[in-house]
Amino acid sequence: MTPLQAGALLFLHRHAVATLTDAAVALGVRLPTMSTVVTALVRKRWVTKCRSAQDDRVVHVRLSQRGRALTRHIEQRVAHVKTTLTEQDRRAFGLNLKARRAYTLAP
């Protein structure tokens, strides 16, 4: 799993249903990049996607049951790592973590 895939999973954990565009904006990547990430996550059966009933250009993405279990595990690991870092290390890590916004965006 890549950091961007983990960020996408955590974003979807916080947002029950989101569009590809929502996820791309939140993670600071272009739509084609997010599309590639989501395709990989669908292949791993961690997310599902479906077209909007109102606009078939819009794709909705949500965690599968396997994806929800995985995100709980990721969050536990992140929480553990945070407890081992100094405040300075946490700030430095936060500044360099590209998917940081996915952890902090409110649903």
Side-chain angles (χ1 to χ4, degrees), residues 21-37:
T21 301
D22 295 336
V25 168
L27 295 169
V29 298
R30 296 182 48 206
L31 190 56
T33 300
M34 185 52 59
S35 181
T36 300
V37 168

Side-chain angles (χ1 to χ4, degrees), residues 1 16 18-19 22 27 36 41-42 47 58 79 81-83 85 90 93 96 102 104-105:
M1 174 184 319
T19 65
D22 295 336
L27 295 169
T36 300
L41 296 175
V42 167
V47 302
V58 176
V81 168
K82 281 183 176 180
T83 64
L85 299 175
R90 276 187 236 145
F93 181 70
N96 293 322
T104 58
L105 284 178

